[in-house]
Amino acid sequence: MPQRHSILAKLAGRTGRRLVVLGPLLWLAVFFMLPLLETLQVSFSVAQRSIPPYAPLWGFDEGGFFTNFTLDNYGLLARYWQDYIGPAFNSIRLAFFSTLVCLLFAYPMAWWIARSTPKWRVFLLVMVMLPFWTSSLLRIYALIGLLNPNGFINGMLMWLGVIEAPIRMMQTDFSIYMGMVLTYLPLMILPLYAVMVRLDDDVIEAATDLGASGVQIFWTVIFPLTLPGVIAGCLLVFIPAVGEFVIPALLGGPDQLMMGKVLWTEFFRNRDWPVAAAIAMLLLAILTVPIIYARYQDGRVDDKHEKETGAR
Amino acid sequence: MKPTIKYAAIAILASNIAYAEGQLNIYNWSDYIAEDTIANFEAETGISVTYDVYDSNEVLEAKMMAGSSGYDLVVPTGDFLARGREAGVYADIDLARLANIGNQDRQVQGLADAQLEARNAGVVYMWGTTGIAYNVDMVRERLGDNAPTDSWDLILDPANAAKLADCGIAILDAPTDVLPNVVAYQGGAGDTTDPKLFEKAGEVLNAVRPHLRYIHSSQSINDIANGDICAAIMWSGDAFQAAYRAEEANNGHVIDYSIPSEGTNLWFDLMAIPADAKNVDNAYKFIDYMMRADVAANNVNYVWYASGNQAAKASIDPEILEHPGIYPTEESQKKLFVVPVYDARLDRVVNRVWSRFSSGG
């Protein structure tokens, strides 16, 4: 009875898989869902000067069960939307272009690493990951030392006689993007590498044999096959980049107010945790739409793949 | 490896001995105490001190507001202490338990008490002003010998700011230390709580914004010392730290600090005890120790801020005592004001004005 056997095996496989998934699920519930729900709750609370600095949303007192629910925090954001839409746009633009530049640099680098001999591969991967071993803050300060008007690069260029007066690099878009790309590049390289290293050389060979040009091979064979890595890398870079606070604060000038700073101001300066929470929730909602869309696309590719190969 | 283990063991043993007299957890500003003060206190009392530092009132406040910070002694600035007291974060100080309370500068402590509307909120540790730090030569090169270095005009007049833009201007990222001064610059009272005056002050700042290099609270210390910027609205002690660094580096940059003639805000950092402190007795011992004339003088000679301690003046370096930027002259004292504690609504107005200024909106 081979039929029945395979059903049993399938069932056992499914239970096993569920058990394996349970760990990460628990982790997500405790460290992601609970804080998220807490933030959601704070966003509907009334701010007051106490520990913590907002009134409880619900509870029991002498009068019995009470609730203290307000939509005012979201109302304030709606009323003063001009103050928030600009920084939101700045942050998304910064994240978008940082992701784009990271992708343009990371793609050939990841390809080169994936095509190296296994020995070199390890060395190059370590080189990519090495910066993670020092504090990102230290690296930003090192960058400041390089880019300052009296810093290393200007000093070098002036000593060589290439320029006469220092070039202004700090507090410009250039310094912000330098910081962003330096910090986030490894997050783009690693998922790309993971996909590329598994890429079957035979596929490329077959395309060449069938007379495809280099450009054709790239766009019709290599790029579609590495797309999951591209999507994963873009998400890994884009999401933290939107909330980036430190890099624009240290490397940027006064003209670019980012969402991270707006959140900081609400939290620390206005001491209005509820409004800060409301901004965080809205930002999350805006960001999850493209992510869910990307996941949905990803899922469809997987499903198709499953159907075509008939096994999983 | 072995010696390290041995030293670690000694350290653990030593800390166990110190535990006998108990513990004290202090949270203070970075670079805000003489290098040997804590060690001397430990040696004298046998109390084991854990000393942590912060670099902004906001960080301290958020930690205290979240509750159960674990600290026994913190040093907030006056308005932050007042807000914390409103929220029930801080305990009252029992002045009778402080033998050295008589050493305090009565005038300074009185001003702080008035701001806090309480006589037992905290003991003034240091106080200072917000003013203008500038690179003497770079400013003279661009604005001549009569550069208005003793006026907010140097930075807040767009004509001057435009001339200094190429060597770099920075402004503190601290709305409550800048906006009241802009109000004073326009002839208003710096201790105002009128939202309209702050809106107007925002317009003055917006006019010089195109000429600013950045708005940041701590970056300017290094930058002005290195000659990367040439003028900045700064806290007094930070400016002297920059001047000292430039002198140490011997890089040819001379940094000076002035209290603008239109007046500026006076602020106080006070030693205070959190309501949930566990080692209250030791916190009192520490405050009393810090108020001893020799200890207070030693701290001032290191951090270059004015002390809340009158008795210490006898042992303070004359260079500090006679500097009008640290201990203001009687003439400029008349123009100093204390910013009152804003309510939540005014906070929001002030911060909105500030956000629009810093984002150019």
Side-chain angles (χ1 to χ4, degrees), chain B residues 128-131 152 176-178 180-181 190 235 257 263-267 335-339:
Chain B
T129 51
T130 310
W152 290 115
T176 50
D177 282 321
V178 177
N181 288 322
W235 288 307
Y257 172 85
T264 188
N265 68 312
L266 191 66
W267 48 258
K335 292 277 193 172
L336 298 181
F337 55 85
V338 178
V339 177

Side-chain angles (χ1 to χ4, degrees), chain A residues 49-52 76 80 83 148 150 168 171 249-250 253-255 257 261 266 268-272 275, chain B residues 58 61-62 65 80 83 86-87 173 175 213-214 219 226 228 342 344 347-348 351-352 356 358-359:
Chain A
R49 278 181 188 168
S50 63
I51 310 176
L76 186 130
Y80 291 101
D83 285 335
N148 259 342
N150 295 336
R168 235 196 91 191
Q171 286 102 28
L250 289 178
D255 31 293
L257 186 63
K261 180 67 193 267
E266 289 297 345
F268 287 102
R269 288 257 165 83
N270 289 329
R271 294 140 196 123
D272 201 333
V275 167
Chain B
E58 284 88 355
E61 185 175 53
M65 284 294 195
F80 282 81
R83 263 188 304 268
E86 228 177 286
D173 186 12
R213 188 70 61 81
Y214 56 78
Q219 210 171 315
N226 293 335
D228 289 338
Y342 300 158
D347 264 342
R348 196 161 265 293
N351 290 324
R352 179 162 300 125
R356 285 180 183 162
S358 43
S359 63

Side-chain angles (χ1 to χ4, degrees), chain A residues 3-287:
Chain A
Q3 196 78 24
R4 211 153 131 217
H5 178 78
S6 92
I7 287 171
L8 267 178
K10 234 181 197 167
L11 267 176
R14 222 177 263 167
T15 329
R17 217 184 289 167
R18 277 192 188 147
L19 276 174
V20 169
V21 166
L22 197 67
L25 262 182
L26 264 176
W27 192 88
L28 269 180
V30 173
F31 294 110
F32 178 72
M33 277 319 279
L34 282 182
L36 190 65
L37 287 175
E38 172 80 18
T39 312
L40 186 67
Q41 180 195 309
V42 174
S43 78
F44 292 116
S45 304
V46 180
Q48 66 179 25
R49 278 181 188 168
S50 63
I51 310 176
Y54 51 86
L57 201 54
W58 53 273
F60 294 92
D61 60 6
E62 305 87 49
F65 184 75
F66 71 89
T67 56
N68 198 354
F69 177 91
T70 182
L71 284 172
D72 286 355
N73 306 315
Y74 290 94
L76 186 130
L77 297 185
R79 210 159 51 247
Y80 291 101
W81 63 274
Q82 298 106 314
D83 285 335
Y84 299 99
I85 201 81
F89 177 73
N90 284 344
S91 285
I92 289 172
R93 187 184 50 197
L94 174 72
F96 176 79
F97 284 109
S98 302
T99 311
L100 195 69
V101 175
C102 277
L103 182 63
L104 290 178
F105 278 107
Y107 203 90
M109 284 168 83
W111 181 260
W112 178 53
I113 298 172
R115 300 288 112 179
S116 307
T117 61
K119 222 174 170 180
W120 268 101
R121 238 183 256 164
V122 174
F123 173 74
L124 292 171
L125 276 179
V126 167
M127 293 302 281
V128 168
M129 285 185 282
L130 206 60
F132 274 134
W133 296 352
T134 52
S135 151
S136 69
L137 205 58
L138 269 178
R139 279 179 281 144
I140 298 299
Y141 273 102
L143 194 60
I144 293 176
L146 288 177
L147 298 180
N148 259 342
N150 295 336
F152 179 78
I153 294 176
N154 272 315
M156 200 68 182
L157 289 177
M158 276 159 76
W159 182 74
L160 288 172
V162 181
I163 50 169
E164 273 174 19
I167 312 170
R168 235 196 91 191
M169 290 180 284
M170 274 299 293
Q171 286 102 28
T172 61
D173 277 354
F174 173 74
S175 57
I176 296 186
Y177 280 105
M178 272 295 272
M180 294 295 283
V181 172
L182 274 179
T183 306
Y184 288 108
L185 195 62
L187 295 177
M188 184 68 92
I189 294 180
L190 294 177
L192 280 174
Y193 165 81
V195 175
M196 287 171 177
V197 80
R198 280 182 314 200
L199 197 74
D200 197 344
D201 281 341
D202 295 347
V203 186
I204 301 167
E205 223 167 277
T208 322
D209 288 349
L210 293 171
S213 69
V215 177
Q216 264 179 326
I217 293 175
F218 180 77
W219 284 114
T220 57
V221 180
I222 299 175
F223 189 74
L225 284 175
T226 53
L227 197 58
V230 172
I231 292 173
C234 286
L235 286 179
L236 277 177
V237 172
F238 185 81
I239 296 165
V242 172
E244 182 59 52
F245 169 68
V246 175
I247 295 173
L250 289 178
L251 298 175
D255 31 293
Q256 299 264 310
L257 186 63
M258 301 290 166
M259 217 50 210
K261 180 67 193 267
V262 169
L263 259 175
W264 187 91
T265 303
E266 289 297 345
F267 193 85
F268 287 102
R269 288 257 165 83
N270 289 329
R271 294 140 196 123
D272 201 333
W273 292 19
V275 167
I279 295 175
M281 293 314 295
L282 270 184
L283 207 59
L284 187 75
I286 293 168
L287 286 182

Side-chain angles (χ1 to χ4, degrees), chain B residues 208-224:
Chain B
V208 294
R209 214 196 67 89
H211 310 303
L212 299 182
R213 188 70 61 81
Y214 56 78
I215 301 159
H216 198 277
S217 289
S218 55
Q219 210 171 315
S220 37
I221 304 176
N222 258 330
D223 285 354
I224 202 161

